[in-house]
Amino acid sequence: MHDSLLHLGHLHIPVFSAFAVVGLIAALFLSQRTARLAGLLPEAMWDAGVVAAISVFVISRVLLVAFNFKSFLAYPVLILTLPSVTFTGLFGAGVVTAIFLRYRGIAYARFLDAAAPCLALLWAILSLGGFATGSKGLPTTLPWGIEDALLGRIHPVEVYTAIAAFALCGVLIAALMTAQARGESAGKTAATGLFLFGAIVFFLTFLTQPTEASQILLLDPIQWLGLAAIGLGTVMALTHLDHAPSAPQQESSSHAI
C-alpha cells in the first residue's frame, strides 16, 4: 500500500488522486452514453459534469484554505496537496451544478438519471484508490483477507465496495435502457441508484473499523448517510420527479462550454 504515485522534490501525486482523475474521466465518457438514454444531449451532460467536477475541487480547496489559513500562509504548497473533498464541498458543488442546470434548462430528474451510473463508476474507481492506500476492514479469517500490520488478516472492504459499485453501475445502465424502451417517467433510475447505494453503504460499513462517533450515534455516520439515501430514494420512486416521457431535449449545442 502506497500513498504516493510520484514524489519528486516538491512534486507529490497521491495515489488516491490519480484514481480520482481516472474515475472522473471514465465517468465523463460514460455520461455521453447515459445522456442519450436519459433523453439529454451528450454535450449538455458533459458540460454539467465538468461544472460539477470543477466546483467540487474549487469549493473544497477554498474551504481547506479558509479553515487552515495560518498554516496555508506558512506552508501553502503542503496545504494545497492535502485531501480536501468534504460533505460541505460536495453540497456546495451540488448547489452550483443545480444553478447551472437551471440556466441551461436541463431537467433535474433526467440529469440525475444520466448521472447515476456515472457516479457509481466513479465510486467504484475511488474505492479501488482507497484500497491502494490501505484498507480499513475488520479482522477476518476468510482466505481472501489481506494482512494488516496491527490487526492481522482483515476484510478488504474497499474491494467489496468497488465490486458492488461496478455492479450498481451495470444495474443502473440496464435500468436506463429499460426506462427508455418503455417510455417510463424520468427519475426512477436515480431513485433506484440512491436506494441501492444506501443499502450497499449501510451493510458494508458493518465490516469497517468503528469510529468514535458510532458509539455516540449508535451507528456509524456513514450508515446514517446510507439510511438517508434509502429514504430519499424511496420518496423519489414514489413521487416521480418528472412524469414526462424520456424524450430528447431540443437544446442548442451552441451553449456547450
Side-chain angles (χ1 to χ4, degrees), residues 8 19 35 54 75 111 152 194:
L8 297 174
F19 274 89
I54 293 176
Y75 309 100
F111 172 77
L194 267 175

Side-chain angles (χ1 to χ4, degrees), residues 39-90:
L40 295 175
L41 294 177
E43 57 266 31
M45 190 68 192
W46 181 278
D47 291 348
V50 171
V51 167
I54 293 176
S55 299
V56 169
F57 179 81
V58 172
I59 294 174
S60 297
R61 290 295 169 182
V62 169
L63 291 174
L64 178 66
V65 171
F67 286 108
N68 301 275
F69 190 68
K70 291 184 178 180
S71 299
F72 173 74
L73 293 178
Y75 309 100
V77 176
L78 176 61
I79 295 299
L80 290 177
T81 57
L82 293 174
S84 61
V85 176
T86 62
F87 286 115
T88 305
L90 291 173

